[in-house]
Amino acid sequence: MTPTHRETVIAAPMSRLRRYLMRRGVVAVLGQPRPGFRLRDVFKSDRIVLVALNDALVGPITAQLIGGLICAEVFSAAQERAQETNPKQRPGMVFVDEVASFLHLPVPISTALEVSRSYGVGWHLFGQGRYQLSSSLAQAFEINARSKLTFATTPSEARDIVESAPMLTADDVQSLPKYEIYANLLTPDGPSGWFSARTLPPPAALGHRAKLRREARSRRPVQPAVTPHETTAPPQAEVSHVRRRRA
C-alpha cells in the first residue's frame, strides 16, 4: 500500500485503539509479547494477582475493557479446573469491586456462579448498591450469593434488603453505625440467619508498596511491551528506501 492508502485503512481501528495505546500501563498489560505467567494458571499455583483499575488513571472505558477481559479469563480458568481430580481441595477466590462495571462474562452470571462453585472457585462481589445492578444480575446474586452482608444504605435499598430478612426492618439497616453490618452467612449447617456484627476499621498504611513492587519485579522482570510508535512505524529499510526515492 502507499502511505496514504495505508493511513486511510488503519484510521478507523486506530481511532478506537488510540485510547489504549496512549496509556503505557495499558500497553504493558495488553501488549506483553512474552508474559511472565498465564492468568488461566492462577488457580494452579500460590499466586496472588492484583489488578488496579482506577478510572482517573486509565479512563472508565479502558478500565471496563481490561476488567471485563480479566473476569472472562478468570472464569475460563475456573472452567479448566474440571480437569482436576478434586478442585475443591484447593479453593480459589476472586474479588471484584464495582462488579457492575467489570463482570461481563461469556455466559449468564447465574451459570457462571454455579459452574465456579462446582469447581471450588468463590466470587466475592462488591458494589455501591443494588441500584447499579440489572434485574437479572440482582436475581443471580440473590440466588447464588449464599453469604450476604450489608452496611447502612438508602431507604429504597434497605426496603429491598429486608424482603429476604423478615426479622429486620428498613430502619434497622438505615441506622447502622460506622463499621457495623448485618450479615447472613452460609455455614456447614445451612444459613446462619441474619445477625449484627462490627467490622474492623481499616489498618494503618505500612508504606511497603514500593518495596513489594521492587521485589516482585526482581523475581519476574516485566518484558518490554509493544509501544504505539512500534505498531505503526515501518521497518528501517523501508524508511531508508522512501527517503532515497524522495531524494
Side-chain angles (χ1 to χ4, degrees):
M1 295 182 183
T2 64
T4 303
H5 187 195
R6 183 172 56 200
E7 289 293 333
T8 302
V9 171
I10 69 173
M14 284 304 299
S15 67
R16 292 166 174 77
L17 291 173
R18 191 168 290 111
R19 75 175 72 217
Y20 311 119
L21 297 178
M22 296 302 292
R23 293 178 169 89
R24 295 184 60 185
V26 177
V27 174
V29 172
L30 300 180
Q32 287 290 330
R34 293 177 298 278
F37 68 97
R38 281 201 336 153
L39 192 58
R40 290 197 181 191
D41 295 334
V42 68
F43 296 132
K44 300 177 183 178
S45 64
D46 296 325
R47 188 184 305 275
I48 297 176
V49 179
L50 303 178
V51 183
L53 296 175
N54 189 324
D55 287 0
L57 298 179
V58 301
I61 297 178
T62 304
Q64 289 179 14
L65 171 70
I66 296 179
L69 289 173
I70 290 176
C71 285
E73 190 72 4
V74 169
F75 174 63
S76 296
Q79 289 180 298
E80 289 186 1
R81 303 196 80 188
Q83 304 172 8
E84 301 179 22
T85 304
N86 191 356
K88 291 186 177 182
Q89 287 186 341
R90 297 186 73 255
M93 297 297 167
V94 185
F95 297 81
V96 185
D97 195 13
E98 299 298 342
V99 63
S101 298
F102 304 128
L103 200 60
H104 306 293
L105 301 177
V107 298
I109 180 60
S110 56
T111 303
L113 295 177
E114 292 170 4
V115 171
S116 298
R117 185 169 63 246
S118 301
Y119 299 142
V121 175
W123 291 74
H124 302 255
L125 308 174
F126 304 88
Q128 297 297 325
R130 295 169 68 100
Y131 67 89
Q132 293 181 317
L133 308 177
S134 64
S135 58
S136 59
L137 197 59
Q139 185 177 12
F141 288 174
E142 187 69 29
I143 295 173
N144 290 279
R146 305 297 299 276
S147 293
K148 302 180 181 67
L149 61 88
T150 180
F151 292 86
T153 185
T154 63
S156 59
E157 194 91 351
R159 287 193 293 270
D160 290 337
I161 292 172
V162 298
E163 286 184 359
S164 58
M167 67 290 299
L168 298 176
T169 66
D171 289 338
D172 292 333
V173 179
Q174 288 179 249
S175 59
L176 280 170
K178 190 176 183 180
Y179 301 132
E180 292 194 9
I181 62 171
Y182 283 111
N184 185 6
L185 305 181
L186 183 64
T187 70
D189 298 325
S192 64
W194 287 92
F195 61 91
S196 61
R198 178 184 293 274
T199 65
L200 298 175
L206 300 177
H208 296 330
R209 180 174 60 179
K211 180 180 179 181
L212 290 172
R213 284 182 173 177
R214 287 195 302 269
E215 178 67 19
R217 288 169 179 165
S218 67
R219 295 187 180 189
R220 190 176 295 277
V222 176
Q223 299 291 339
V226 178
T227 58
H229 70 272
E230 289 174 338
T231 61
T232 59
Q236 187 62 37
E238 183 179 346
V239 173
S240 301
H241 173 72
V242 173
R243 287 176 178 171
R244 286 197 301 270
R245 185 173 62 184
R246 289 179 178 174

